[in-house]
Amino acid sequence: MRRPTITVIGGGFAGLTAAISCAEGGAAVTLYEAHRSLGGRARTADGPYRTNEGPHALYNGGPHWTWLNQRGLLKPLAPLPPLQASRFRFHRDGVLRRLPPAGLLKLRGRKSAPVDRDFFSWAASQEGEAAARAAANYVGVATFHHDSGMLSAAFVQERLRRTTSFPPEAHYIRGGWGELIARMAEHARQSAVRIETGARLDALPEDGPVIVATHLEAARALLKDERLTWDSARTVLLDVALRSRRGDLFAISGLDFPGWVERFTTQDRSLAPHGEELLQCQVGIGPDENRADGVARAERLLDAGFPQWRERLVHRREALCLGRTGAVDLPGTTWRDRPAVERGDGVYLAGDQVAAPGVLSEVSFSSALKASTLALRSARADRAKPYAPSSTGRGTGTSTGTGTGTGPTSSPSPTPTTGGTSATSGTPTTGHTATTGDTAKADNTAAVPRLSSS
């Protein structure tokens, strides 16, 4: 009886979740990360401005909350002071308001919405076009999309309910998401996971199941499977640090257009030097728009909520994120229609554009757990077979020190950089059949060939 061997490719939130889960299941796990640091989109800049790649929050209504907490990985958190929570505003009709339109609140009370209708037409039929437009723009905080109204009503409605829950579900990791990644990495090493950074895999290892937990574009190239596509968003990120001023707002939600501004030092002073405030803005832009269009809208929100912010500016960084903000589901599709976790021949996918339920990082987590369960099952089945040494070597296809490869093609820097990663936005695959042992639909997956060094 041999100890099962599992390989994880990608050292972000999904990859570390999968590696820990597999190790806890008794497997010998090796994790390869193309960059020199772990984290993927969950990296946090070293400082002095500890920015994430866009606003990051953990929702306590998701399955990852309990899993992380049970392993002592969740805390310390950065709580939002009650007084600061009252400094939330809605940008509507060109001015700041304390309350959203009543129709938006009525919409969030709807427990369900149809899958096959777009959100705007469905919401307008319930509460009118003004409320529908405001709700669609508000949900941009969770979709990063330029027009959430064109997406599946069921997809958007779930996010509307989650982001407007009271008390709020969103919580923040003290020190940024990089602290969570560091705790997960240490826990993985203590669980005997072997982690190799700066390691590029050009071929799949042959000695056991493989979990590919990379950006979908990188997975498509590694697996040579052009069907690994799904729609995502185009989003402009603007980070600014301002000299502190008493009375600054905590957050602004755009209702005239999708946009979000949040002062992250409200709950965590460690993210910027003393006497300064770190703000992160996100604005979804359309396929025919450019970064300047999104930046202009973000500045409109800053103008409305932070008077004379340009005179207080001490740091600024812009980025364009293409296809790096998770999956969005068009009318007639659900998460079950996305690329399936199980790819055949012992290969499994994990990530935020994979067939798994949840909001934002919950998709990465849920797909990672599903991939881990299937990989362990496959590895145990192989372990039960009589052992027969191979006469040929098995190559892993690794080369260290590259800092590139199966990870996202953006800069290894943990903060957004100008240019961002190019995206491939695909259309949903049709003609699915049910997958044995999985609630998601398969996409006619063919076996993935394994390459050896012989």
Side-chain angles (χ1 to χ4, degrees), residues 105-375:
L105 298 178
K106 291 179 180 178
L107 279 172
R108 69 90 47 202
R110 306 279 178 177
K111 293 185 178 180
S112 62
V115 170
D116 57 353
R117 290 188 64 182
D118 67 89
F119 176 79
F120 181 80
S121 66
W122 171 80
S125 70
Q126 304 295 312
E127 298 295 338
E129 291 190 359
R133 187 171 296 106
N137 288 334
Y138 173 83
V139 175
V141 67
T143 66
F144 293 82
H145 199 267
H146 72 286
D147 183 8
S148 296
M150 67 178 286
L151 305 177
S152 167
F155 175 85
V156 176
Q157 182 66 6
E158 179 188 11
R159 282 145 185 80
L160 178 62
R161 289 179 58 82
R162 297 286 299 278
T163 57
T164 56
S165 63
F166 189 83
E169 285 193 30
H171 294 267
Y172 305 88
I173 302 297
R174 184 178 297 278
W177 267 58
E179 295 298 318
L180 173 62
I181 293 299
R183 291 196 288 271
M184 293 181 72
E186 179 59 26
H187 187 82
R189 292 186 176 98
Q190 291 178 359
S191 302
V193 175
R194 184 165 65 94
I195 297 176
E196 294 192 18
T197 58
R200 173 180 176 176
L201 269 73
D202 298 315
L204 299 180
E206 292 185 297
D207 56 344
V210 179
I211 297 175
V212 180
T214 68
H215 187 275
L216 202 58
E217 183 179 5
R220 183 170 62 250
L222 178 63
L223 302 182
K224 297 177 176 60
D225 188 346
E226 293 302 317
R227 296 166 299 171
L228 296 183
T229 62
W230 197 258
D231 284 325
S232 188
R234 303 178 75 243
T235 309
V236 168
L237 304 179
L238 173 62
D239 302 335
V240 297
L242 312 178
R243 287 187 290 273
S244 298
R245 175 180 292 178
R246 188 175 182 179
D248 272 343
L249 295 179
F250 160 54
I252 303 173
S253 172
L255 300 187
D256 294 334
F257 55 85
W260 183 269
V261 177
E262 186 167 345
R263 181 164 58 97
F264 273 71
T265 40
T266 303
Q267 62 269 1
D268 190 352
R269 292 298 323 166
S270 71
L271 302 181
H274 178 72
E276 297 180 12
E277 306 289 344
L278 176 63
L279 285 71
Q280 291 202 263
C281 317
Q282 68 175 65
V283 176
I285 61 172
D288 298 326
E289 295 182 297
N290 56 37
R291 188 177 68 186
D293 297 318
V295 169
R297 292 191 200 116
E299 291 180 343
R300 283 176 60 187
L301 296 179
L302 290 171
D303 289 339
F306 299 86
Q308 300 178 326
W309 66 271
R310 291 176 179 83
E311 287 73 20
R312 301 162 55 194
L313 185 68
V314 292
H315 170 78
R316 176 177 179 135
R317 172 162 285 184
E318 303 173 5
L320 174 61
C321 286
L322 307 177
R324 293 175 54 79
T325 52
V328 294
D329 296 339
L330 296 174
T333 65
T334 71
W335 61 266
R336 293 176 175 85
D337 299 299
R338 300 172 196 159
V341 172
E342 188 169 10
R343 307 310 303 173
D345 195 32
V347 178
Y348 308 93
L349 281 186
D352 60 8
Q353 289 181 280
V354 178
V359 174
L360 299 174
S361 60
E362 296 169 13
V363 179
S364 291
F365 174 82
S366 297
S367 61
L369 283 194
K370 183 65 178 180
S372 302
T373 300
L374 295 173

